[in-house]
Amino acid sequence: MSAALVRGVVALLSLALLNPGSASAAEERLFVLAAASLRNALDDAASQYAGAKPVISYAGSSALARQIERGAPASLVLCADRDWMDYLEARGLIERDTRRDLLGNRLALIAPRESKTELRVAPAMPLARALGSGRLAIGDPAHVPAGKYARAALERLGVWSAVRDRVAATENVRVALALVARGEAPLGIVYETDARAEPSVRVLDRFDASLHPPIVYPMALVKGASPAAREFATHLKGEVARRIFEKHGFTPLN
């Protein structure tokens, strides 16, 4: 995500903070930053919450961390890997004792719904040939957790070198999903939950968890979090949210 876009998100959240639009005090407003791949599931979980309704901004985990570092008035953050939560913790930007691994996920190899391509995940699989003249849509491996997991898996399978120059690297995993859904990329690697959320793609195969580091979504309160954020975090660890996350294909870890 560009610096200008990060500044725009910070400004948007700041404006919301100054104009709460309800009888609640501004300090009780609930601002959440969450990994893009959580959008559908977290929206559903928020809709079942009886407390103050959260204002949720979705982006890649690297962008979330930068937003918080630049002063976005968020109270709760959910990343798509431990590295970016480590980044925030190392800078003293989260309340360390509230950090918790909330969810797990899997990687899936996808194609457009109408594609005739068939490909199984296996060592030395003919991924480059299956791409034809197209590109492989993944999150940017340098910054986006889903892209880092995808690269690690392809390296383990011995095929990364054949496709590394044919990658469409995106700012978050949902953009990669959209490229495949629109037929702009013949293949993509996304989270299994993303594939389930998009009817315009189909799953060709899933990656074994041993091929990449564990896919974990940590959650933590940001320093100075409001009481409303603590209550919402408790809701996300509860049974109602657990069932919602499972319905969307996530693996609850609590």
Side-chain angles (χ1 to χ4, degrees):
M1 178 177 286
S2 68
L5 187 52
V6 170
R7 288 195 297 271
V9 173
V10 171
L12 180 63
L13 289 177
S14 298
L15 180 60
L17 186 62
L18 293 171
N19 181 26
S22 73
S24 300
E27 63 269 17
E28 294 181 355
R29 294 285 289 173
L30 175 51
F31 297 98
V32 179
L33 295 180
S37 53
L38 288 169
R39 181 183 296 274
N40 301 70
L42 190 55
D43 282 351
D44 279 0
S47 73
Q48 298 301 310
Y49 180 53
K53 295 304 179 184
V55 177
I56 308 176
S57 177
Y58 295 98
S61 293
S62 61
L64 304 180
R66 301 299 187 191
Q67 288 168 29
I68 292 171
E69 191 173 30
R70 293 178 187 218
S75 290
L76 183 67
V77 59
L78 296 92
C79 296
D81 75 348
R82 291 169 171 152
D83 288 347
W84 284 109
M85 193 65 82
D86 289 346
Y87 179 94
L88 292 171
E89 184 174 329
R91 286 156 180 76
L93 296 172
I94 63 170
E95 297 188 9
R96 183 176 181 180
D97 62 344
T98 69
R99 177 173 174 172
R100 181 168 187 159
D101 289 342
L102 185 68
L103 301 167
N105 210 336
R106 293 185 65 182
L107 284 185
L109 177 66
I110 62 169
R113 171 61 64 183
E114 303 305 320
S115 169
K116 303 302 182 183
T117 298
E118 296 295 341
L119 184 64
R120 305 298 292 178
V121 172
M125 63 181 180
L127 181 58
R129 186 171 67 214
L131 287 171
S133 61
R135 290 183 172 269
L136 177 69
I138 63 173
D140 185 348
H143 306 287
V144 179
K148 292 192 290 184
Y149 297 133
R151 175 176 177 168
L154 295 180
E155 286 177 338
R156 287 287 301 273
L157 293 168
V159 298
W160 174 250
S161 60
V163 299
R164 63 186 305 167
D165 295 328
R166 301 183 60 191
V167 162
T170 63
E171 66 186 46
N172 65 62
V173 69
R174 283 300 177 96
V175 178
L177 177 70
L179 289 179
V180 179
R182 296 194 298 260
E184 296 174 22
L187 295 171
I189 300 175
V190 299
Y191 297 122
E192 183 176 17
T193 52
D194 294 313
R196 289 177 58 161
E198 176 50 72
S200 295
V201 306
R202 63 187 179 90
V203 173
L204 302 183
D205 203 2
R206 294 163 180 81
F207 290 79
D208 190 272
S210 65
L211 293 172
H212 52 75
I215 300 175
V216 174
Y217 291 72
M219 174 179 70
L221 293 176
V222 179
K223 282 287 187 179
S226 66
R230 297 178 187 277
E231 293 168 7
F232 185 60
T234 298
H235 166 70
L236 294 181
K237 294 180 286 187
E239 187 58 33
V240 171
R242 180 187 183 91
R243 290 196 298 269
I244 291 170
F245 289 130
E246 287 177 335
K247 181 187 75 174
H248 285 273
F250 290 94
T251 302
L253 301 178
N254 55 304

